[in-house]
Amino acid sequence: MSTPEAVQTAELSASKQLDILDQLIKPEVQESLTVLVENLPKLAEMVTMMTKAYDFAQSIATDQVLINDMMGGFGEMVTPVVDKAKGIAAAAIEANDRAQVETASIGLFGMLKMLKDPQVQKTLRFAQAFLNAMAERDRNKL
């Protein structure tokens, strides 16, 4: 004899089969299935390519030697930039401290003397080149 649970499971299974058959009868479902069947070779090729890409990405993500090499290369590339930025920041802090201590005003002759300083000249050339570049960009936008 069959148990009530087995009968209920069989009824549910038959009901699901009828639902699936009802879905398969619909014309839009049949069209979709036709398109899928026609494109199965392309889909299989795409799945194969995606599987290879996944396997490659997985092997790279778990390769500790490669990760360490990449981190070392990244560190070698970033270290000089960080060192330069630290140097610039330290110079800016020192200049600020000196400017806070110095209370004397700079007159016309003091400015003329400053204009002879190579660093001032370098900064002025940079400022002029920067302003020229910005003016050219503005002209090109119009």
Side-chain angles (χ1 to χ4, degrees), residues 9-120:
T9 302
E11 288 175 358
L12 280 173
S13 178
S15 172
K16 286 182 182 178
Q17 287 177 352
L18 287 176
D19 288 344
I20 291 172
L21 289 175
D22 288 341
Q23 291 293 323
L24 289 173
I25 292 173
K26 293 180 181 178
E28 62 271 10
V29 172
Q30 289 179 357
E31 287 176 29
S32 298
L33 286 172
T34 302
V35 169
L36 280 173
V37 169
E38 288 173 355
N39 289 306
L40 274 177
K42 291 179 186 175
L43 291 171
E45 185 179 340
M46 286 174 53
V47 168
T48 301
M49 288 173 37
M50 288 179 4
T51 301
K52 287 179 182 177
Y54 173 80
D55 291 342
F56 178 71
Q58 189 69 22
S59 69
I60 287 175
T62 57
D63 187 353
Q64 199 60 41
V65 172
L66 179 64
I67 291 170
N68 290 339
D69 287 348
M70 288 180 65
M71 293 300 287
F74 184 72
E76 289 175 12
M77 184 178 70
V78 170
T79 300
V81 174
V82 169
D83 291 344
K84 182 133 183 149
K86 285 180 181 178
I88 292 170
I93 291 169
E94 184 179 344
N96 184 46
D97 292 344
R98 288 182 186 182
Q100 295 297 325
V101 171
E102 185 64 41
T103 57
S105 60
I106 299 174
L108 179 61
F109 292 112
M111 288 184 68
L112 290 174
K113 184 178 177 186
M114 286 174 57
L115 285 174
K116 293 180 183 179
D117 185 315
Q119 288 297 329
V120 172

